[in-house]
DNA sequence: TAGATTGTTAATCGATTAACAATC
DNA sequence: TAGATTGTTAATCGATTAACAATC
């Protein structure tokens, strides 16, 4: 009954780290890796890693370890990276442009297929070989280009409006960089990436030194 | 014995959200807010909020709620935002430039006081009114300008080297955007902001729809 | 075979939720 | 006073760690 087991959010957030480390190991020409070595490279206990992986299947060989290529492919499939999702960035300011240029997304198999802005001075320009479209045409273009994920990088005041449009246009998920709590239907997946959280928690810790 | 109580990471990560929401409430002219209303705005249960806040002191009034100004000031102090930490960005590529321009850091009380890069074509230019310095002078400038936090936005291959220099120069904390696990001394605080984690976990969820 | 390492179950630890007394 | 809402304790839930049998 694997299908009924609920995987913890913590486990899911570690999978991309495993994927990343397996890719690096692959680049180094390593064929087989143990949970011990993976753990050493990531600062995660080997027990934790084995537990995480075991919740999706048996990927290792007892007494041997994990085959790097095979495990990387499996973790990639678990994360759905083999779907090569089409993504769009909305709001081509400093952050939006940086995201549009972020090379790691390509490495992970995402396809950047559209950029949107409302500023006539930005519309029509090209960022990372993709033309910036008028946000007025969002619905049409999302459907035409079969965009699965919308990345919101507009100012907080406009974020909810953009989210509503993305939902209406039929994206499957939203990655939100605006520091607000969005209201979206229950079926919509949304990941919030509020950059001030990380910096503030760092401030908390160094304050207590 | 409050000082001995260990506050959970989850609680600390929620504090910036409380701060943000309290600031918005303040802007709206709201004087008093209940844990219920705060919870509604954040999608967090009121019990959770009361528990989080109570681990730092008694900030509310029974039967009344929390005074917005007072609670915002208290949460800000808990996070150490009143220290007005001096920050520097290392690596002025697309992401580094976006971070240098990120206005929310100002809102939180951080001071951007230095930018560094190794590219002669970038050194000497100005981003958000701050001049980009040669990374060769990092140690000297970190000390001169009393920089508390270093933000690493260089390619993964250079990140460890930059971290080592920041530690040697005496920063108190590192905010790392490079997708690698850094080796830093135990006393150093480091927060990793790997952007591929968020997008990958979104991929995971929409794959299972 | 002996040594190594996984996968899994049990034990522990930590965080969230529920309940309610205190009190404004 | 009655109603509202906090702060705190107890109960539940979930995640990590420890231990070890299975097996390559």
């Amino acid at each position: 009954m694997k299908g009924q087991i609920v995987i913890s959010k913590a486990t899911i957030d570690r999978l991309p780290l495993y994927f990343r480390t397996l890719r690096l190991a692959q680049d180094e020409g390593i064929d087989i890796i143990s949970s011990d070595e993976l753990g050493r490279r990531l600062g995660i206990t080997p027990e934790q890693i084995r537990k995480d992986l075991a919740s999706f299947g048996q990927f290792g060989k007892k007494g041997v370890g994990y085959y790097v290529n095979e495990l990387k492919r499996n973790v990639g499939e678990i994360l759905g990276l083999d779907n090569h999702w089409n993504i769009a960035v909305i709001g081509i300011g400093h952050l939006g442009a940086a995201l549009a240029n972020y090379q790691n997304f390509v490495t992970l198999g995402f396809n950047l297929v559209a950029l949107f802005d409302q500023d006539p001075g930005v519309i029509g320009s090209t960022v990372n070989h993709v033309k910036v479209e008028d946000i007025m045409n969002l619905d049409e273009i999302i459907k035409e280009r079969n965009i699965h994920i919308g990345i919101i990088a507009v100012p907080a005041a406009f974020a909810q409006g953009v989210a509503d449009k993305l939902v209406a246009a039929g994206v499957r998920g939203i990655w939100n960089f605006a520091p607000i709590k969005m209201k979206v239907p229950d079926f919509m997946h949304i990941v919030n990436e509020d950059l001030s959280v990380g910096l503030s928690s760092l401030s908390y810790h160094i304050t207590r030194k």
Side-chain angles (χ1 to χ4, degrees), chain A residues 5-183:
Chain A
I5 291 175
V6 176
I7 311 295
S8 83
K9 188 192 176 306
T11 294
I12 297 160
D13 282 354
R14 279 188 295 265
L15 293 177
L17 306 183
Y18 301 160
F19 187 79
R20 181 182 91 189
T21 307
L22 289 165
R23 193 158 50 72
L24 291 174
Q26 207 176 36
D27 291 349
E28 290 172 37
I30 296 170
D31 287 332
I32 294 173
I33 198 163
S34 64
S35 58
D36 229 79
E37 173 61 13
L38 263 176
R40 216 185 44 72
R41 293 184 177 218
L42 277 163
I44 294 176
T45 65
E47 295 84 358
Q48 180 76 83
I49 293 173
R50 293 203 299 278
K51 194 106 208 287
D52 284 343
L53 295 175
S55 48
F56 295 101
Q58 306 194 163
F59 303 117
K61 270 223 179 345
K62 291 178 184 182
V64 179
Y66 299 90
Y67 289 99
V68 173
N69 291 325
E70 200 183 310
L71 185 59
K72 184 196 158 220
R73 199 193 61 244
N74 277 304
V75 173
E77 282 173 14
I78 293 165
L79 286 170
L81 300 179
D82 55 326
N83 287 299
H84 297 282
W85 302 113
N86 293 329
I87 64 179
V89 179
I90 301 95
I92 313 303
H94 294 290
L95 182 59
L99 292 170
N101 277 292
Y102 199 61
Q103 293 314 307
N104 287 311
F105 297 156
V106 178
T107 310
L108 292 166
F110 294 94
N111 303 125
L112 180 71
V113 297
L115 303 174
F116 297 96
D117 206 287
Q118 59 156 198
D119 179 354
V122 176
I123 295 166
S125 67
T126 291
V127 178
N128 197 15
H129 313 295
V130 180
K131 200 176 133 201
V132 180
E133 307 286 345
D134 190 331
I135 200 165
M136 295 289 285
N137 305 322
L138 186 135
D139 192 87
E140 191 189 325
I141 294 171
I142 292 277
K143 284 167 182 160
E144 259 175 28
R145 303 189 192 169
N146 191 25
I147 290 164
H148 305 104
I149 295 175
I151 304 177
I152 298 183
V154 301
F158 302 104
Q160 182 65 58
V162 170
D164 293 345
K165 282 186 196 170
L166 287 170
V167 171
V171 301
R172 300 228 228 163
I174 292 175
W175 195 24
N176 171 44
F177 283 81
I180 66 157
K181 166 78 184 168
M182 302 274 211
K183 287 173 205 73

